[in-house]
Amino acid sequence: MDVTVLEVAPRDGLQNESEIIATAAKIRLIERSIEAGLRRIEAVSFVHPQRVPQMADAEAVMAGVPRVAGVSYAGLVFNDRGLDRAMAAGVDEINVVVVATDTFSHRNQGCTTAEGIQRWHTLAKRAADSGLRRTVTIAAAFGCPFEGEVSAATVLDLVRRVAEAEPDEIALADTIGVGTPDRVRTLIAGTAALAPAAALRCHFHNTRNTGYANAIAALDAGARVLDASTGGIGGCPFAPAATGNIATEDLLYMLDRMGVTTGVRMDLVSETGVWLGDVLGTPVPALLGRAGGFPSAG
Amino acid sequence: MDVTVLEVAPRDGLQNESEIIATAAKIRLIERSIEAGLRRIEAVSFVHPQRVPQMADAEAVMAGVPRVAGVSYAGLVFNDRGLDRAMAAGVDEINVVVVATDTFSHRNQGCTTAEGIQRWHTLAKRAADSGLRRTVTIAAAFGCPFEGEVSAATVLDLVRRVAEAEPDEIALADTIGVGTPDRVRTLIAGTAALAPAAALRCHFHNTRNTGYANAIAALDAGARVLDASTGGIGGCPFAPAATGNIATEDLLYMLDRMGVTTGVRMDLVSETGVWLGDVLGTPVPALLGRAGGFPSAG
C-alpha cells in the first residue's frame, strides 16, 4: 500500500505557538521535511496577520522555500484576498476550510457554515480557473469544542454540498481530537460514496490518544492521504485544548513496520522533531525521538 | 460489544518506579480502581524482592485490598515459591510469563524460553489443582529489546506449546511497544485457531504511539480483554526504554465513544490518574486528564 503523508507542522503545527518563530526556521523546517522525502507540505496560511500573527510571513516563507520537482506546497485560504496572496506567492494547492458548526465557524473565520460553503464555491472556481489544485477541509467533523457532538449525517450533508464545487480532494479534520475509529470508517465510506471523484484526506489530532488508531482506521476504510505534523506539534488558536496533531515520525514508524510505503525517511523526520523541540524550547510530543526506533533507529 | 479492561497499574505500572511506593498508596490505587468499576486487577507480583523491590510488599497489599464480589485479583508468578506465596495471599488468578526470546527470558527470569514453558506447565498444573484461574502471557511477542524482531511463526509456536497446559487465558504482550495493528491481527487470529478454548488478552505499551491502534486492532480481531494502566504509567525493569502501558482512561474514552461497554467510569479513572501523578511526583502520560473529556468530563 502506498500512502502520502502531508506534512502540516509549518502551518497547523506552528500556528498555535505563542512566540513568533523566525521565518528562516520555518523555511528550514520545510527544507528538512523535503530532505526526508515528504512531497506535500502545508507551508503557510494566507489568513489576516491580525488573526494569526504566526502566519504573517507567509509570503516570505514561500519566497524562501526550495522549488523541488514533485514537491507540492499548500496554503490555507479563507477569502478572495487570501487567494490573491496564495497565487502571488506561488503555492501549488489551496486548502479551504469549511467548519461543520456555526459557532466554531464564526470563531474561526467569522461566518456561518453555509456562508463558508459559499466562500468555498467561489474560491474553488477561481482556483480552478488558475489551475491550482483544490482541497476542501471539513473542520470539526468529529465534534465541536462549542456545540459538542457533530452527527455523521451533518458531516455527510456538508460533503455533498462542498463536492458540488468539484474539489480535487476532500479532507475530514478532527480538529479537537475527539474522533474514534468507527466514526472515521463511517465518514470515509460516506464521503467516498458521495464524492467518488475527489481524493480523500484525513487530519487527526492526538489530543486524547485516539489519533493513531484513527489513522489506521482511515487507511482500512480506503483513505490514502494522511496529515501529520513533525514532532506532533499543533493546535488551533480558535479551539480550546486543541493540542497536537499526530506526529509524522510516529505515524511513519507504524506505517513502515506495517510495510506501507510512504517514501519518507522516519529517522530524518525524527531528527527534525528533536530539532524542532530545540527551536520551540520544549520537547515535542512525538515519542519516537525519545524511545528510539526498533529494531534500529534507521 | 462488551470488553473487559484489566487494570495493571498496581503491578506493571508501578514496578518500574525507582522510588518505593507506600503499601497504603498501592491499596488506595486498587480501591479507587474498583470504585471506578474495574473488575480484574493485576495487583501484585510474587517475584523475589531482590529482583523487583517495588513488589516486596505483595502480601501486605493483598492483605489490605477490599474483597468485593466479582472482583478478581491477579498476581504474577514465576516459580513454585511464587505460587505458594500467591495461594497464601489469596489471589484469584495467576499470570505466568513466558518470554519469547532466550536473551530477554534470561534477563527477566533467569531461564531460557523452553525452560519458561516447562515452568508454566508445572505451575499451571498446580494452580489448576487449587482452582486458581490461570493466564499465560507471551512477553516480547512483537519484538525483543535484545534479539530484535520476533516472527509471528515463533510466537504461534509458543502459543501451541503453552496451550497444551490448558490455560484459561492466553495473553500476547507487546512489552516494549513495537507492535503494529497488522501483526496484532495476525497473532490473534493464529492464537484463536491454535487455542480455541482459551480466552484471549492483549497487553500493549504506547512507547511509540502504536498502543491504542493496536488495541482497536485487537478488538477487531476478536479479543475481548485488554490490559491498561491508569495514567499510562509502566515499564519493565529488565527492558530498556519500555515505557508506558496504554492508559486506562484514554482507552476508556475511545471505547466509550465507540459504544463499547466496559462497566468502568472513565471520569473516575481519569481522576485516579491525576491523583497517581501526585503520588509519583510527576504528571502521568495519560492525555484525558489534561485535555478533559468531550463533550463533558463525565
Side-chain angles (χ1 to χ4, degrees):
Chain A
M1 188 195 299
D2 289 342
V3 167
T4 298
V5 177
L6 194 153
E7 175 60 49
V8 302
R11 202 284 304 176
D12 200 31
L14 291 181
Q15 70 171 10
N16 212 31
E17 293 293 323
S18 50
E19 297 283 318
I20 299 295
I21 309 300
T23 303
K26 295 176 183 173
I27 293 170
R28 186 68 197 121
L29 172 59
I30 292 169
E31 289 171 343
R32 291 183 70 125
S33 299
I34 292 169
E35 288 160 15
L38 289 151
R39 287 297 173 262
R40 287 181 75 187
I41 317 269
E42 191 175 85
V44 291
S45 173
F46 296 101
V47 63
H48 195 289
Q50 285 183 350
R51 293 279 293 166
V52 185
Q54 189 67 264
M55 294 290 118
D57 61 352
E59 279 81 0
V61 170
M62 285 305 301
V65 295
R67 296 296 179 159
V68 177
V71 170
S72 181
Y73 291 115
L76 248 68
V77 163
F78 294 89
N79 50 33
D80 279 311
R81 171 79 184 114
L83 182 54
D84 293 341
R85 291 176 62 197
M87 290 195 286
V91 299
D92 303 290
E93 44 181 306
I94 61 161
N95 185 7
V96 177
V97 175
V98 171
V99 184
T101 62
D102 283 335
T103 309
F104 193 10
S105 183
H106 258 296
R107 298 221 190 192
N108 197 63
Q109 43 193 278
C111 67
T112 64
T113 300
E115 289 163 350
I117 294 170
Q118 188 49 51
R119 280 191 196 173
W120 151 246
H121 277 254
T122 305
L123 293 166
K125 179 159 189 347
R126 279 191 62 205
D129 292 344
S130 304
L132 282 178
R133 186 175 158 85
R134 299 148 301 149
T135 294
V136 59
T137 294
I138 299 180
F142 297 82
C144 168
F146 307 107
E147 296 191 21
E149 300 292 354
V150 175
S151 73
T154 296
V155 175
L156 293 176
D157 183 56
L158 293 175
V159 166
R160 188 182 54 72
R161 289 153 73 190
V162 299
E164 290 167 356
E166 298 180 357
D168 295 296
E169 181 180 71
I170 297 175
L172 301 171
D174 184 13
T175 312
I176 57 170
V178 297
T180 49
D182 56 334
R183 179 59 65 91
V184 170
R185 293 190 196 105
T186 299
L187 289 184
I188 288 180
T191 300
L194 287 166
L200 247 169
R201 169 148 72 99
C202 288
H203 177 98
F204 297 118
H205 284 246
N206 198 42
T207 315
R208 293 167 186 82
N209 262 326
T210 65
Y212 300 89
N214 288 340
I216 296 299
L219 299 185
D220 284 347
R224 289 296 175 267
V225 186
L226 294 173
D227 286 3
S229 168
T230 292
I233 63 168
C236 173
F238 307 111
T243 51
N245 294 76
I246 58 171
T248 308
E249 54 269 57
D250 292 356
L251 178 64
L252 289 171
Y253 178 77
M254 183 156 59
L255 297 182
D256 275 11
R257 282 183 70 72
M258 294 176 74
V260 173
T261 306
T262 63
V264 187
R265 281 184 56 181
M266 74 170 172
D267 58 333
L268 296 183
V269 175
S270 190
E271 289 169 15
T272 298
V274 174
W275 169 83
L276 192 52
D278 291 339
V279 170
L280 301 177
T282 181
V284 294
L287 296 181
L288 190 65
R290 287 178 238 176
F294 172 88
S296 74
Chain B
M1 188 195 300
D2 288 343
V3 167
T4 298
V5 177
L6 193 153
E7 175 60 50
V8 302
R11 201 283 305 175
D12 200 31
L14 290 180
Q15 71 169 11
N16 213 30
E17 292 293 322
S18 50
E19 298 284 318
I20 300 293
I21 309 299
T23 303
K26 295 175 183 173
I27 292 169
R28 186 68 198 120
L29 171 60
I30 292 168
E31 289 171 343
R32 291 184 69 125
S33 300
I34 292 169
E35 288 160 15
L38 289 150
R39 287 298 173 261
R40 286 182 76 187
I41 316 268
E42 193 176 83
V44 290
S45 171
F46 297 100
V47 62
H48 195 290
Q50 285 181 350
R51 294 279 294 164
V52 185
Q54 188 67 263
M55 294 289 118
D57 60 351
E59 279 81 0
V61 170
M62 285 307 301
V65 295
R67 296 294 178 160
V68 178
V71 170
S72 181
Y73 291 115
L76 249 68
V77 163
F78 295 90
N79 49 34
D80 279 310
R81 170 81 184 113
L83 182 56
D84 292 339
R85 290 176 63 197
M87 290 193 287
V91 300
D92 304 289
E93 45 182 306
I94 61 159
N95 185 7
V96 177
V97 175
V98 171
V99 184
T101 63
D102 283 335
T103 309
F104 193 10
S105 183
H106 259 296
R107 297 220 189 192
N108 197 63
Q109 43 194 277
C111 67
T112 64
T113 300
E115 289 164 351
I117 293 171
Q118 188 49 53
R119 280 191 196 174
W120 150 246
H121 278 253
T122 304
L123 294 166
K125 178 156 187 353
R126 280 192 62 204
D129 292 344
S130 303
L132 281 178
R133 187 176 157 84
R134 299 149 300 149
T135 295
V136 58
T137 294
I138 300 180
F142 297 82
C144 167
F146 307 107
E147 296 191 20
E149 300 292 353
V150 175
S151 73
T154 296
V155 176
L156 293 176
D157 183 56
L158 293 175
V159 165
R160 187 183 54 74
R161 290 152 72 191
V162 300
E164 289 167 357
E166 297 180 356
D168 294 296
E169 181 179 71
I170 298 176
L172 301 171
D174 184 13
T175 312
I176 57 169
V178 298
T180 50
D182 56 335
R183 180 59 64 90
V184 170
R185 293 189 196 106
T186 299
L187 289 184
I188 289 179
T191 300
L194 286 166
L200 247 169
R201 170 149 72 98
C202 289
H203 177 96
F204 297 118
H205 284 247
N206 198 41
T207 315
R208 293 166 187 84
N209 261 327
T210 65
Y212 299 89
N214 288 341
I216 295 299
L219 299 185
D220 284 347
R224 289 296 175 268
V225 186
L226 295 173
D227 286 2
S229 167
T230 293
I233 63 169
C236 172
F238 308 110
T243 51
N245 293 75
I246 59 172
T248 308
E249 54 268 57
D250 293 357
L251 177 65
L252 289 171
Y253 178 77
M254 184 155 60
L255 297 183
D256 275 10
R257 283 183 67 72
M258 294 176 74
V260 173
T261 305
T262 64
V264 187
R265 281 184 56 181
M266 73 170 173
D267 58 333
L268 295 184
V269 175
S270 190
E271 289 169 13
T272 298
V274 174
W275 168 84
L276 192 53
D278 291 340
V279 169
L280 301 177
T282 181
V284 294
L287 296 181
L288 190 66
R290 289 178 237 175
F294 172 87
S296 74

